[in-house]
Amino acid sequence: SLTVRAGFVARSAVVWRLSAAPMREARRHAESVVILIGVLACFAFAYQGKQSKGFADRQPEAIRDALTNYAVPEFRRLQQSPPGKGFFGEEAKEQCIHRLPASACNFGSVAAITLGDSNVGMYEYALQDALAKKGRGILSLSYEQCPLYNQPIWSGNVRECWEINKERWKLLRAYPDRPTVIVSANFYQFTVAKRAPENFSPTSTLQESAPVPEGEVYASFNASIDELLKLGYPVVVVTDVPNAPFDVKKEMERRAALKTWAKHDEYVPYEHRDTFDARAAQIHPHPGQRFQLVRPDRFLCNAERTECLVISRKGGIYSFESHLSNAGVHYLLPTLLESISRFDRQ
């Protein structure tokens, strides 16, 4: 009857209200909680990945090494305590390449002195690591953007370079031993060098500097090599490295994020080879003396010197701009160590 049906509908409504509706509401609530937990987990995973640099502890060893090596440019990796002093009076210079020569990094039982700008600084970490295993060390006289000159010349944005070189020469002339001196520079800077004042202090007023002809800059550099040889130092000059056509560091970081790695060595065309040859030709040879000229392109490029290595199976060859990474330095390291050992025996 109509009354019975109405009663059934009313009872059903009550049952739904008291049981089914709360159950559905609970289900919706549970689904919301699950979604919220999922969102929070994603944020936590992303944050942890960023903090751990892509979960470096779970990545292949080659990728982990590359991430570690790229944390700081190779030429700034070598440090020593206690900290040294900088030219402008600042202290806490643990990085060797930013110190005054008077407080230079000295690792004892010196087998080699590194001398020049960041182009020699990039070899220091690997050299010290290798020599330390033999109970030897280096004396670091590197200084960013400050090649070795015997005249008041500066390049880059380091106006204090002549003051640094005066301190270098003072130390070198008084140094009791004659270990091998490894010299390098960014020889491109020789084309844009400027005249430095005879005396420059941290409080000196910066003034416009006259350019120095490239030939005069090379003459000062070559005279410096001559002076080192006359002082009795064996000398190894390392010319500059072929240019990297792209930012290898960023490419390595991109591949690390994607967990991809080079399955074979990757080469690019050797750009401006004639320019690098011309620069090397301006460095005077010293036949019959304890002198060696090292050309990085002989180690990083193919036999025809038409293509040069940029990425190997061990990682990127370059780190900061056209400076070598730790992986790149190791292509030249055996030759540098052999030269040190050979001159040490003579």
Side-chain angles (χ1 to χ4, degrees):
S1 68
L2 184 60
T3 302
V4 174
R5 290 180 180 177
F8 178 78
V9 170
R11 187 169 64 253
S12 298
V14 171
V15 171
W16 183 87
R17 178 65 180 172
L18 295 177
S19 60
M23 290 177 63
R24 292 187 181 183
E25 184 66 25
R27 188 180 297 114
R28 283 197 298 270
H29 179 69
E31 291 173 351
S32 298
V33 171
V34 170
I35 293 173
L36 178 61
I37 291 173
V39 171
L40 292 175
C42 288
F43 276 112
F45 183 82
Y47 176 79
Q48 183 62 26
K50 182 178 180 181
Q51 292 299 109
S52 64
K53 298 182 179 180
F55 297 100
D57 58 325
R58 296 185 180 182
Q59 293 172 346
E61 183 178 357
I63 297 181
R64 290 202 307 271
D65 289 346
L67 289 173
T68 300
N69 292 340
Y70 281 130
V72 64
E74 190 68 18
F75 56 84
R76 293 177 186 159
R77 284 187 73 187
L78 189 63
Q79 299 184 0
Q80 188 181 46
S81 294
K85 292 185 178 181
F87 178 79
F88 292 96
E90 69 276 28
E91 296 186 2
K93 291 289 186 180
E94 291 193 351
Q95 290 178 329
C96 297
I97 199 167
H98 290 148
R99 299 185 183 203
L100 286 169
S103 60
C105 293
N106 187 330
F107 293 88
S109 189
V110 173
I113 298 174
T114 48
L115 184 54
D117 58 16
S118 57
N119 278 41
V120 78
M122 65 189 177
Y123 299 106
E124 291 182 327
Y125 185 89
L127 271 173
Q128 174 55 34
D129 183 61
L131 289 171
K133 296 173 183 176
K134 302 178 181 179
R136 306 295 300 274
I138 71 168
L139 169 63
S140 168
L141 294 182
S142 63
Y143 198 93
E144 281 195 48
Q145 298 188 57
C146 186
L148 178 66
Y149 302 126
N150 71 343
Q151 296 179 16
I153 298 172
W154 67 279
S155 53
N157 59 9
V158 180
R159 291 175 179 259
E160 71 270 21
C161 184
W162 177 230
E163 299 301 320
I164 299 300
N165 272 319
K166 285 193 288 187
E167 283 204 24
R168 283 169 168 170
W169 283 115
K170 181 179 178 181
L171 187 153
L172 288 164
R173 292 187 177 106
Y175 200 69
D177 300 316
R178 292 296 182 263
T180 299
V181 178
I182 299 176
V183 184
S184 190
N186 177 357
F187 291 96
Y188 164 75
Q189 294 287 351
F190 286 22
T191 66
V192 292
K194 297 181 180 180
R195 190 79 58 194
E198 183 58 40
N199 295 293
F200 183 82
S201 73
T203 59
S204 296
T205 302
L206 299 180
Q207 298 178 349
E208 192 65 29
S209 301
V212 180
E214 181 181 1
E216 185 177 335
V217 180
Y218 272 101
S220 179
F221 179 81
N222 283 315
S224 297
I225 303 303
D226 292 341
E227 178 67 15
L228 287 173
L229 291 168
K230 289 177 183 177
L231 288 171
Y233 289 100
V235 178
V236 177
V237 175
V238 186
T239 61
D240 38 11
V241 176
N243 293 327
F246 57 88
D247 192 326
V248 178
K249 176 178 179 289
K250 286 186 177 180
E251 175 61 14
M252 289 296 96
E253 290 174 341
R254 184 189 71 83
R255 295 188 184 192
L258 296 175
K259 297 183 180 180
T260 62
W261 209 244
K263 296 181 180 179
H264 54 82
D265 293 341
E266 299 177 19
Y267 288 78
V268 295
Y270 189 175
E271 298 179 348
H272 312 297
R273 184 181 67 181
D274 292 344
T275 299
F276 285 97
D277 288 342
R279 292 175 187 169
Q282 295 196 64
I283 300 171
H284 292 170
H286 295 83
Q289 300 191 57
R290 294 194 296 171
F291 173 84
Q292 182 177 2
L293 183 68
V294 176
R295 294 283 305 269
D297 57 6
R298 310 295 184 185
F299 302 88
L300 301 174
C301 305
N302 60 9
E304 298 79 17
R305 294 196 308 133
T306 56
E307 295 182 323
C308 297
L309 187 66
V310 289
I311 297 173
S312 75
R313 285 167 288 185
K314 295 182 179 180
I317 298 303
Y318 296 86
S319 60
F320 180 81
E321 295 179 347
S322 286
H323 293 82
L324 294 176
S325 67
N326 189 266
V329 166
H330 276 78
Y331 282 87
L332 282 81
L333 186 62
T335 294
L336 298 180
L337 292 172
E338 191 279 329
S339 298
I340 293 170
S341 179
R342 174 164 46 85
F343 289 140
D344 201 33
R345 294 192 302 268
Q346 293 179 358

